[in-house]
Amino acid sequence: MTDDLTQLQLRELFLQTGDDADLPIVDAHHHFFDVDANYHPWLRDRPLLPFRYGDYSSICKNFLPADYRKSAAGHRIVQSVLIEGEWNPADPLGEVNWVEKIAAASGLPSAMAGQAWLDRDDIDEVLAGHARSPLVRSVRHKPRALPRQDYRNDYSAPGSMRCPRWLDGYAKLARHDLMFELQVFWWHFAEAAELAHAFPHTTIIVNHTGLPSDRSEEGLAAWRAALVLLAREDNVHLKISGICVPGRRWSAQLNGAVVRDAIAIFGVERCSFASNFPVDSLHASMDEIYAGFKEICAHMEPSDRLKLFHDNAIRIYRL
């Protein structure tokens, strides 16, 4: 996807020109699905599950490297990070084995986050398996969460970030040099800040900007306050993706304030852009997403834009 130029050459070219056409991109969060060959319960089982974007039946199909490259046409995607796609939970390592074969044949992805269930009896075996993979840099286990209207400050249910058994599994990440992909609603960020503070040697990568779907003035103010709290922990990185609003098309006008606020709070050194494809195809093409990110950041210096689109993901995921 980079024609005949190396990544280093693309970097230097962009720093000279500042032209978005020259901007190298590391997509820090996407998925591959082969629903014919593999079991993803949420994609194959019926009825479909309740989902934050609404009806997701249109993505219950194969999405493989050729589909990704077609979607990414027009942007210089140089590397990518695949995030576990809620593969069959009975076989957490199966997805890694499958992705390794995909990467060997296609050149994508460059790294991945594996599935792990931190409070399960097989956690030692699963983490050891992930650590052996040349692709795996992190793991994801979505902690138990509550709807905002039901949340309370002392929340500590089994499977949550305050659950002792869950924390015992989390404590094992550092010995395997694995990071943690945190996907949780922003009102759970006090728990996330506690987690980051208690385990300073484990990097937390927040998925999807904390899911700021409530775009009311009050909702955005509360989301920003939660980001400020979590940003105080130096071992937390923020991925800006997954910010679609149900019923509305992705646009720089719709999402610009969210993106700018996230960067202002976490800083350009601790944010990365990502497509969340094919999930975010429910509300946008990949071109709309990346063109939107570029438009939102057009006022920034080329060096800062390069960090957000490329350099930070290279550093965090050791690419």
Side-chain angles (χ1 to χ4, degrees):
M1 281 187 268
T2 64
D3 53 49
D4 294 325
L5 296 176
T6 67
Q7 281 189 67
L8 180 60
Q9 289 171 326
L10 281 172
R11 254 188 112 263
E12 294 305 315
L13 178 63
F14 176 72
L15 287 173
Q16 293 171 15
T17 68
D19 188 338
D20 283 336
D22 299 325
L23 177 61
I25 296 170
V26 175
D27 186 350
H29 192 117
H30 74 89
H31 309 280
F32 288 151
F33 304 133
D34 185 341
V35 298
D36 298 324
N38 305 319
Y39 180 43
H40 295 265
W42 72 294
L43 297 174
R44 287 182 48 176
D45 292 353
R46 296 296 183 273
L48 296 177
L49 299 172
F51 186 59
R52 68 182 186 276
Y53 289 167
D55 180 11
Y56 64 93
S57 57
S58 63
I59 64 168
C60 297
K61 61 183 180 181
N62 295 352
F63 187 81
L64 295 165
D67 305 300
Y68 181 92
R69 286 189 163 94
K70 183 177 179 181
S71 298
H75 298 274
R76 291 183 180 268
I77 310 291
V78 295
Q79 295 199 67
S80 75
V81 181
L82 181 139
I83 307 301
E84 64 89 18
E86 299 190 28
W87 176 282
N88 180 3
D91 181 26
L93 296 175
E95 187 173 27
V96 175
N97 296 331
W98 176 70
V99 172
E100 286 177 351
K101 294 174 184 175
I102 294 288
S106 71
L108 290 176
S110 314
M112 72 173 291
Q115 181 190 105
W117 301 92
L118 299 177
D119 52 359
R120 235 165 57 172
D121 290 340
D122 64 354
I123 188 60
D124 290 301
E125 175 188 351
V126 170
L127 293 183
H130 286 328
R132 288 192 296 269
S133 171
L135 288 180
V136 176
R137 304 288 191 273
S138 57
V139 302
R140 186 166 73 166
H141 176 173
K142 297 176 184 177
R144 182 168 293 182
L146 289 174
R148 187 182 176 192
Q149 65 270 18
D150 298 331
Y151 186 72
R152 59 186 189 277
N153 291 333
D154 63 348
Y155 180 67
S156 57
S160 73
M161 286 182 278
R162 292 188 179 124
C163 168
R165 184 175 175 86
W166 195 94
L167 289 169
D168 285 345
Y170 187 92
K172 296 174 180 180
L173 295 176
R175 74 183 68 164
H176 294 288
D177 196 23
L178 291 168
M179 300 181 291
F180 184 67
E181 305 277 343
L182 174 62
Q183 183 164 329
V184 73
F185 297 107
W186 54 261
W187 51 88
H188 285 269
F189 275 4
E191 299 160 56
E194 293 171 8
L195 184 69
H197 190 78
F199 299 93
H201 300 299
T202 298
T203 297
I204 293 176
I205 304 170
V206 176
N207 291 186
H208 306 329
T209 333
L211 303 168
S213 58
D214 179 359
R215 299 300 175 86
S216 68
E217 183 176 341
E218 183 273 338
L220 287 175
W223 166 74
R224 287 192 296 268
L227 278 189
V228 168
L229 175 67
L230 188 53
R232 292 172 184 163
E233 306 302 326
D234 293 338
N235 55 326
V236 181
H237 186 86
L238 186 71
K239 278 196 289 200
I240 301 175
S241 62
I243 53 175
C244 298
V245 178
R248 303 184 68 179
R249 197 74 184 171
W250 205 112
S251 70
Q253 181 178 6
L254 175 64
N255 290 315
V258 165
V259 173
R260 287 189 291 271
D261 286 346
I263 294 170
I265 292 168
F266 264 82
V268 294
E269 301 285 348
R270 291 201 290 160
C271 295
S272 298
F273 288 134
S275 73
N276 193 33
F277 247 61
V279 179
D280 279 17
S281 68
L282 293 168
H283 291 285
S285 68
M286 199 183 298
D287 177 63
E288 287 174 305
I289 291 171
Y290 274 116
F293 285 147
K294 290 174 180 179
E295 179 181 343
I296 293 166
C297 296
H299 66 287
M300 295 183 176
E301 291 295 324
S303 58
D304 285 341
R305 285 147 61 199
L306 193 60
K307 291 173 185 175
L308 294 165
F309 284 93
H310 179 273
D311 289 0
N312 292 344
I314 291 284
R315 183 185 76 252
I316 290 292
Y317 285 104
R318 306 191 301 274
L319 302 179

